[in-house]
């Protein structure tokens, strides 16, 4: 068995849900009680000797679809004696209520002295020796899967950061349920890592038009893997109790044995040696002689560096598929959270049933599509679900479906949405300063205005400046990514007494191909480096307080058209064309809050800061650009409204061609190419390595103006956005080139590997970052940077760095800021 990576989506926390198959015959139902006549939740109910079965709900009720015939029905729950009943199904529903008794755990008489090893260690060694065999034992399979996800909010704050918290009808005030979903799918697997899921049906409480984003593979955590990756919960994964190195992380204690169907089962306590290591706590059950996993009950806590979740518990049971193979039958995730005053928890229950270990696949079946959602998946009625779901709903869940479905018509009506909009659209005096937004929820449109107060800034060219912004957005449907936006902006500089204004149109018209059409134009200021290495706010602060005006700008009157789309899976292209009139700009203001002795503002010439003679005069530029990127073996999800691209085990290769055309009055003439290779690699307990290599050259350079040179993302401030291709201490324009260049960037996120071992610091849950950056150009032999720092919450970061220019060591510097996504 191969495991699939576990992914997490957080509303306030994790949301996930999964699937089962459509049944056809009569139902076997009933209630399962213990010796005290109390309901037993989550009991496994299955046809003996098969993987056909279900699980009781939290109230002890079960439901199992069976064809006509006679069956031995087994009831299994760890801690209770296996119970088997014979039943006959004959075209009508049958009720079978049962009572289970506590299992007698037999303790082996072992006298453990200082020189005697607990018997658990020998069992773990045996399981370790069989781990790889069971991991690879099943080469392919098909299974039906059903998953139900229920999330509850127990309490929430009245205000967050001064804003009132109004959850409206999102949370049931009685049950606390804020998310309830079920889905049905067929799951296919072929070694080594090929999964494909076809979702047949999906039901989300109160959202009949919604297709679930959850995948049944998310619940298939395999403890035969040495490292359990719970993406989104922990930064480095968690060591399996039967991993080859588990004795370094765990202590084990043999609690006893019991027998089920002639199989002797060992109960073993899993005890971390060090609380803050990436480890589980709990119990595993291992079958004697075969040394296979029989059942799992393990958990992690915030001590394992989870940021938003307090506890995460995994329960998993295996069933015999044939004489040689056991497969996961059910998995249950229970978790609790407490974040910014929001408290609650949830349960995700997945059932995998009716395994076929010899399915037939054609050569193109596994094509990178890991999930395909049927267009009719959200159109199944209540009778379908009554006949399909293997786990009966609890009373709370039944009421949640009923209440949300009955109120849905009201909450989606025009009158209701208009009433909500009237409240949110109400204009307040503070909007004069902060801006104003207006929306029409029924028509899925919204407008927004950015007020001048929020856009106040300063640079030495415009002086104090501000402006107005306006945008209009129209969505195709509420659950459809397709939309278009029209935006405009105007700004005015008090010192240069000049207006600039732009208008832009962006249309995501095909979400399955990620097709975007863009048009924009007007007159605007632009940084010479279009990647904007210096943030305008940072430049404002550095200018008025330190007389360091790093941002260098020019003016352009332009029109630009662009189109991006996906050709085939993993292959994307982008095309753009721009015609611009470019004007040089000079400083018009030397205003500052404080006058730094011995320092004056530099000119707006990025290459001659002591003078004011720019390298280009007013000119016209017609530039076309074409880009192609290739992500081999890209995995993706197909849904009726869109295609969602995921990762790949291969790096991404990008090619970009840029041409300046000397025609139609244009003064530029050049050809430039660039190749980029980038990837992110998991290093297990050592975190993740991200790297990028960039090579480029100008094939021709007859007429190249300053904005068209190859610029590098330099930095001379204490603030950074920490993009992978950002240098820490490089001059912004000193090494810009029209020749060959090579950039190499590498960043390792250790995910707390070192700091987690320090008693007090580990409570901060910081993640260590180390990076190297290298640059070579025709004019620069070698420039090299190294840095080390820490990161919090995945985006807040601080670093120390130093640089080496042609072997000469530079000063040590400090950076802090918010990490942003790389802009291609």
């Amino acid at each position: 068995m191969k495991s699939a990576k576990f992914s997490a989506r957080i509303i306030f926390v994790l949301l996930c849900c999964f699937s089962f198959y459509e049944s056809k015959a009569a139902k076997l139902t009933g209630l399962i009680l213990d010796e005290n006549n109390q309901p037993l939740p989550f009991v496994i109910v299955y046809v003996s000797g098969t993987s056909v079965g279900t699980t009781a709900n939290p109230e002890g009720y079960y439901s199992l679809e069976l064809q006509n015939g006679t069956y031995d029905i087994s009831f299994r729950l760890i801690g209770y004696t296996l119970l088997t009943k014979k039943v006959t199904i004959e075209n009508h529903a049958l009720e079978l209520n049962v009572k289970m008794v506590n299992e007698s755990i037999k303790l082996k008489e072992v006298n453990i002295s200082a020189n005697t090893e607990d018997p658990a260690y020998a069992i773990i060694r045996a399981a370790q020796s069989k781990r790889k065999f069971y991991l690879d034992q099943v080469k392919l399979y098909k299974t039906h899967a059903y998953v139900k996800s229920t999330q509850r909010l127990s309490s929430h704050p009245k205000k967050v950061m001064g804003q009132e918290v109004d959850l409206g009808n999102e949370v049931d005030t009685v049950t606390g349920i804020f998310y309830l979903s079920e889905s049905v799918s067929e799951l296919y697997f072929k070694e080594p890592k090929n999964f494909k899921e076809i979702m047949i049906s999906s039901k989300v409480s109160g959202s009949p038009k919604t297709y679930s984003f959850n995948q049944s593979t998310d619940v298939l955590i395999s403890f035969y893997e040495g490292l359990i990756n719970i993406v989104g919960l922990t930064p480095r994964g968690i060591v399996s109790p039967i991993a080859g190195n588990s004795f370094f992380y765990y202590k084990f204690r043999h609690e006893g044995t019991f027998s089920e169907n002639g199989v002797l089962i060992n109960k073993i306590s899993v005890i971390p040696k060090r609380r803050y290591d990436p480890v589980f706590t709990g119990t595993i059950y291992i079958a004697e002689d075969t040394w296979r996993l029989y059942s799992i009950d393990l958990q992690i806590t915030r001590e394992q560096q989870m940021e938003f979740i307090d506890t995460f518990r995994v329960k998993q049971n295996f069933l015999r598929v044939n004489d040689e193979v056991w497969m996961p039958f059910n998995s249950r995730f229970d978790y609790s959270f407490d974040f910014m005053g929001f408290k609650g928890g949830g349960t995700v229950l997945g059932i995998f049933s009716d395994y076929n270990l010899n399915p037939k696949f054609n050569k193109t079946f596994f094509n990178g599509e890991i999930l395909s959602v049927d267009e009719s998946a959200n159109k199944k009625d209540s009778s379908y679900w009554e006949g399909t779901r293997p786990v009966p709903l609890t009373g709370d869940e039944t009421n949640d479906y009923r209440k949300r479905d009955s109120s849905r018509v009201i909450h989606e009506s025009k009158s209701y949405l208009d009433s909500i909009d009237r409240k949110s659209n109400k204009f307040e005096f503070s909007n004069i300063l902060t801006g104003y937004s207006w929306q029409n929820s029924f028509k899925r449109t919204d407008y927004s205005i950015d007020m001048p107060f929020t856009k106040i800034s300063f640079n030495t060219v415009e002086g104090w400046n501000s402006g107005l912004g306006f945008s209009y957005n129209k969505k195709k449907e509420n659950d459809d990514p397709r939309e278009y936006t029209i935006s405009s902006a105007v700004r005015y500089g008090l010192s240069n007494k000049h207006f600039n204004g732009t208008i832009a149109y962006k249309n995501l018209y095909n979400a399955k191909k990620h097709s975007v059409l863009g048009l924009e134009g007007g007159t605007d200021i632009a940084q010479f480096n279009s990647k904007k290495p210096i943030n305008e706010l940072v430049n404002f602060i550095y200018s008025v307080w330190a007389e360091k005006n790093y941002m260098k700008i020019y003016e352009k009157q332009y029109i630009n058209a662009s189109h991006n789309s996906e050709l085939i899976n993993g292959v994307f292209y982008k095309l753009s064309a721009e015609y611009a009139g470019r004007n040089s700009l000079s400083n018009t203001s030397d205003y500052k809050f404080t006058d730094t002795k011995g320092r004056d503002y530099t000119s707006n010439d990025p290459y001659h800061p002591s003078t004011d003679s720019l390298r280009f005069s007013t000119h016209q530029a017609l530039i076309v650009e074409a880009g192609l990127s290739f992500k081999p073996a890209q995995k993706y999800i197909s849904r009726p409204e869109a295609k969602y691209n995921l990762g790949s085990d291969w790096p991404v290769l990008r090619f970009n061609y840029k041409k300046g055309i000397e025609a139609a009055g244009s003064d530029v003439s050049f050809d430039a190419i660039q190749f980029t290779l980038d990837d992110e690699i998991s290093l297990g307990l050592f975190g993740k390595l991200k790297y990028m290599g960039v090579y480029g050259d100008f094939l021709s350079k007859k007429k190249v103006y300053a904005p068209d040179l190859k610029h590098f993302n330099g930095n001379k401030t204490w603030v950074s956005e920490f993009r992978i291709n950002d240098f820490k201490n490089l001059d912004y324009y000193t090494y810009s080139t029209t020749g060959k260049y090579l950039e190499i960037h590498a960043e390792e996120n250790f995910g707390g590997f070192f700091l987690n071992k320090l008693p007090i610091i580990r409570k901060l849950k910081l993640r260590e970052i180390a990076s190297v950056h290298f640059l070579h150009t025709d004019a620069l032999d070698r420039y090299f940077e190294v840095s080390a720092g820490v990161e919090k919450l995945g985006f807040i970061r601080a670093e120390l760095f130093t640089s080496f220019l042609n072997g000469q060591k530079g000063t040590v510097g400090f950076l802090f800021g918010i990490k942003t996504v790389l802009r291609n």
Side-chain angles (χ1 to χ4, degrees):
M1 271 175 310
K2 297 287 187 182
S3 71
K5 290 184 178 179
F6 178 77
S7 62
R9 179 186 178 191
I10 294 179
I11 296 180
F12 301 118
V13 70
L14 181 71
L15 291 181
C16 50
C17 55
F18 314 88
S19 52
F20 189 71
Y21 69 99
E22 184 173 358
S23 51
K24 300 178 180 179
K27 274 192 175 183
L28 175 67
T29 62
L31 175 64
I32 307 171
L33 303 174
D34 64 11
E35 293 171 292
N36 298 317
N37 292 320
Q38 296 299 310
L40 279 177
F42 304 114
V43 176
I44 299 174
V45 183
Y46 64 98
V47 177
S48 298
T50 76
S51 61
V52 176
T54 184
T55 299
N57 72 7
E59 297 171 347
Y61 288 99
Y62 72 94
S63 175
L64 180 62
E65 287 280 349
L66 295 171
Q67 301 289 337
N68 290 344
T70 299
Y71 303 92
D72 288 325
I73 305 298
S74 294
F75 298 83
R76 176 179 139 190
L77 183 65
I78 295 297
Y80 290 82
T81 301
L82 181 71
L83 177 65
T84 302
K85 296 285 188 178
K86 188 177 291 293
V87 300
T88 300
I89 303 296
E90 294 179 340
N91 296 321
H92 58 82
L94 178 66
E95 182 177 353
L96 175 64
N97 301 320
V98 299
K99 182 179 292 187
M100 300 183 70
V101 299
N102 287 321
E103 175 67 66
S104 175
I105 300 292
K106 299 177 181 178
L107 297 175
K108 290 185 177 180
E109 293 183 4
V110 178
N111 294 320
I112 303 177
S113 64
N115 298 319
T116 303
E117 185 179 64
D118 190 292
Y121 287 87
I123 297 170
I124 295 296
R125 289 191 189 95
Q128 289 173 335
S129 69
K130 299 287 286 185
R131 182 182 68 85
K132 189 68 166 59
F133 171 78
Y134 289 127
L135 181 65
D136 299 327
Q137 182 184 22
V138 177
K139 309 300 182 184
L140 66 167
Y141 66 77
K142 170 188 175 183
T143 185
H144 296 291
Y146 165 88
V147 176
K148 179 175 64 178
S149 177
T150 307
Q151 278 76 42
R152 301 172 189 267
L153 193 66
S154 58
S155 64
H156 65 83
K158 294 182 179 179
K159 289 186 177 182
V160 173
M161 300 180 68
Q163 300 295 316
E164 290 188 5
V165 176
D166 182 9
L167 299 177
N169 65 324
E170 297 298 322
V171 178
D172 188 289
T173 56
V174 177
T175 66
I177 294 177
F178 68 86
Y179 185 83
L180 169 62
S181 179
E182 303 169 275
S183 60
V184 170
S185 65
E186 292 183 346
L187 178 64
Y188 305 86
F189 167 79
K190 182 180 180 181
E191 68 170 357
K193 296 180 180 180
N194 297 303
F195 283 93
K196 185 167 186 175
E197 179 180 356
I198 299 176
M199 184 176 289
I200 301 168
S201 55
S202 173
K203 184 176 177 66
V204 179
S205 182
S207 302
K209 296 181 181 180
T210 299
Y211 296 96
S212 173
F213 271 94
N214 297 282
Q215 303 165 236
S216 64
T217 49
D218 289 349
V219 80
L220 280 178
I221 293 178
S222 174
F223 286 86
Y224 290 117
E225 295 277 7
L227 190 67
I228 312 302
N229 289 305
I230 308 179
V231 180
L233 292 185
T234 60
R236 297 186 291 139
I238 307 295
V239 178
S240 169
I242 61 171
N245 60 346
S246 64
F247 290 135
F248 178 78
Y249 293 95
Y250 295 103
K251 296 184 291 184
F252 300 96
R253 184 172 63 240
H254 191 262
E255 303 292 355
T257 62
F258 61 91
S259 180
E260 284 194 2
N261 284 337
V263 178
L264 190 66
I265 308 299
N266 296 280
K267 179 181 180 182
I268 298 174
S269 289
V270 177
I271 307 162
K273 284 187 174 180
R274 295 165 295 275
R275 290 170 50 198
Y276 292 91
D277 276 353
V279 290
F280 291 101
T281 302
T283 307
I284 59 174
Y285 299 82
I286 298 176
E288 190 82 11
D289 297 329
T290 61
W291 313 117
R292 69 174 80 246
L293 293 173
Y294 183 79
S295 185
I296 301 289
D297 185 359
L298 298 170
Q299 74 170 18
I300 56 177
T301 68
R302 283 185 179 266
E303 293 173 340
Q304 277 64 60
Q305 292 191 296
M306 292 192 295
E307 293 282 4
F308 306 105
I309 299 179
D310 291 327
T311 61
F312 185 85
R313 187 174 183 179
V314 181
K315 289 188 175 182
Q316 191 174 77
N317 292 283
F318 294 78
L319 279 185
R320 186 197 306 270
V321 177
N322 58 38
D323 291 341
E324 300 295 330
V325 176
W326 290 57
M327 295 290 286
F329 172 70
N330 69 359
S331 290
R332 185 170 123 223
F333 303 152
D334 296 290
Y335 60 88
S336 63
F337 60 87
D338 182 354
F339 181 70
M340 295 183 67
F342 293 91
K343 297 181 180 180
T347 296
V348 180
L349 175 64
I351 299 174
F352 298 86
S353 180
D354 197 17
Y355 281 93
N356 176 359
L357 301 184
N358 192 31
K360 303 299 182 183
F361 304 125
N362 61 47
K363 293 182 179 180
T364 60
F365 185 77
F366 294 102
N367 58 356
E369 183 183 51
I370 63 174
L371 173 62
S372 174
V373 180
D374 190 273
E375 190 170 356
S376 63
N378 62 355
K379 297 176 175 61
K380 303 296 192 294
D381 58 19
S382 58
S383 61
Y384 165 86
W385 285 102
E386 285 296 325
T388 300
R389 68 167 59 93
V391 181
L393 298 174
T394 65
D396 285 350
E397 292 165 345
T398 300
N399 289 335
D400 191 74
Y401 274 134
R402 177 182 53 79
K403 290 172 63 175
R404 290 181 189 264
D405 288 346
S406 62
S407 63
R408 174 181 56 83
V409 176
I410 297 174
H411 292 150
E412 292 182 353
S413 67
K414 185 177 185 301
S415 59
Y416 178 82
L417 293 175
D418 286 348
S419 68
I420 298 298
D421 287 343
R422 279 194 295 271
K423 180 179 179 181
S424 62
N425 292 341
K426 185 178 180 181
F427 186 86
E428 298 180 355
F429 180 79
S430 60
N431 295 131
I432 297 175
L433 299 177
T434 62
Y436 175 70
S437 295
W438 181 94
Q439 65 180 2
N440 186 323
S441 300
F442 186 76
K443 292 184 177 181
R444 300 173 299 280
T445 60
D446 64 78
Y447 304 84
S448 65
I449 299 175
D450 296 326
M451 294 300 186
F453 180 79
T454 63
K455 303 177 88 58
I456 293 175
S457 187
F458 174 86
N459 62 68
T460 54
V461 172
E462 298 175 292
W464 287 99
N465 61 86
S466 186
L468 281 169
F470 171 81
S471 68
Y472 166 79
N473 179 265
K474 171 68 174 178
K475 291 182 64 68
K476 185 76 174 180
E477 296 288 346
N478 286 331
D479 297 312
D480 191 330
R482 289 177 294 175
E483 63 179 359
Y484 69 86
T485 301
I486 299 174
S487 60
S488 64
V490 61
R491 62 187 290 162
Y492 179 75
L494 294 178
S495 181
N496 68 345
K497 298 179 174 55
H498 185 68
F499 277 101
N500 285 295
T502 61
I503 185 169
Y505 168 81
K506 182 178 180 181
N507 186 358
L508 171 59
Y509 65 91
N510 187 335
K512 294 185 178 181
K513 288 290 187 179
H514 305 276
S515 303
V516 179
L517 175 65
L519 294 170
E520 61 178 291
T523 177
D524 198 10
I525 64 167
Q527 292 191 44
F528 286 88
N529 184 347
S530 61
K531 301 297 183 182
K532 300 180 180 179
I534 177 70
N535 180 276
E536 191 167 348
L537 174 61
V538 173
N539 181 74
F540 165 31
I541 295 172
Y542 265 78
S543 295
V544 297
W545 266 290
E547 288 187 83
K548 294 182 177 181
N549 54 324
Y550 290 123
M551 188 174 73
K552 307 303 179 183
I553 57 180
Y554 68 97
E555 183 184 68
K556 64 177 183 177
Q557 299 84 34
Y558 72 104
I559 182 170
N560 181 288
S562 63
H563 187 261
N564 303 344
S565 190
E566 184 176 29
L567 289 171
I568 58 176
N569 182 50
V571 180
F572 299 83
Y573 74 86
K574 61 179 181 180
L575 300 171
S576 69
E578 179 174 291
Y579 193 92
R582 296 163 167 175
N583 303 319
S584 61
L585 299 173
S586 299
N587 291 342
T588 64
S589 174
D590 61 356
Y591 180 87
K592 76 274 292 184
F593 287 166
T594 58
D595 189 1
T596 304
K597 186 177 181 180
R599 183 183 299 158
D600 293 310
Y601 284 127
T602 60
S603 76
N604 190 47
D605 185 340
Y607 305 103
H608 304 88
S610 60
T611 68
D612 205 17
S613 56
L614 284 173
R615 292 178 63 180
F616 75 86
S617 57
T618 299
H619 65 276
Q620 309 299 310
L622 173 59
I623 297 175
V624 296
E625 192 167 359
L628 191 68
S629 67
F630 176 44
K631 184 183 293 185
Q634 176 180 260
K635 296 173 183 171
Y636 64 95
I637 295 172
S638 297
R639 291 162 53 87
E641 80 283 3
K643 175 175 180 275
Y644 297 88
N645 294 319
L646 307 175
S648 171
D649 294 331
W650 294 86
V652 181
L653 176 63
R654 310 177 198 272
F655 169 74
N656 195 75
Y657 172 68
K658 189 175 183 180
K659 182 174 182 61
I661 302 174
E662 192 175 8
S666 172
D667 301 304
V668 299
S669 178
F670 63 88
D671 295 88
I673 59 170
Q674 179 173 289
F675 295 90
T676 304
L677 189 71
D678 61 89
D679 196 12
E680 184 174 85
I681 303 172
S682 174
L683 300 180
L685 291 175
F686 289 95
K688 292 182 179 180
L689 172 66
K690 182 185 294 185
Y691 69 85
M692 172 181 284
V694 182
Y695 171 80
D697 192 10
F698 279 72
L699 304 180
S700 68
K701 44 190 174 184
K702 181 180 177 183
K703 291 184 179 180
V704 185
Y705 290 85
D708 304 316
L709 274 66
K710 171 59 183 180
H711 305 291
F712 306 100
N713 291 353
N715 189 20
K716 302 301 291 184
T717 73
W718 286 19
V719 183
S720 175
E721 296 183 18
F722 297 107
R723 296 170 292 187
I724 182 65
N725 60 341
D726 285 348
F727 289 94
K728 317 294 183 182
N729 193 36
L730 185 72
D731 286 333
Y732 294 101
Y733 296 105
T734 300
Y735 304 107
S736 299
T737 183
T738 57
K740 294 182 177 66
Y741 56 90
L742 174 66
E743 293 180 72
I744 298 176
H745 308 270
E747 177 182 286
E748 170 70 10
N749 187 327
F750 290 96
F753 182 85
F754 300 105
L755 296 179
N756 196 43
K757 297 174 174 59
L758 303 179
I760 297 177
I761 294 178
R762 63 187 170 204
K763 293 183 178 181
L764 299 174
K765 298 179 184 175
L766 300 174
R767 302 177 185 182
E768 316 90 333
I769 306 293
S771 68
V772 295
H773 302 268
F774 172 82
L775 175 63
H776 168 79
T777 72
D778 289 345
L780 178 63
D781 183 31
R782 60 188 184 279
Y783 176 79
F784 185 72
E785 293 178 347
V786 294
S787 68
V790 294
E791 188 175 271
K792 176 69 175 175
L793 298 175
F795 61 91
I796 302 173
R797 185 182 291 190
E799 288 186 5
L800 289 173
F801 67 85
T802 190
S803 59
F804 300 84
L805 177 59
N806 294 328
Q808 297 297 313
K809 182 178 178 299
T811 59
V812 175
F814 172 77
L815 287 173
F816 69 94
I818 304 296
K819 183 175 70 174
T820 62
V821 177
L822 175 66
R823 295 186 291 269
N824 293 322

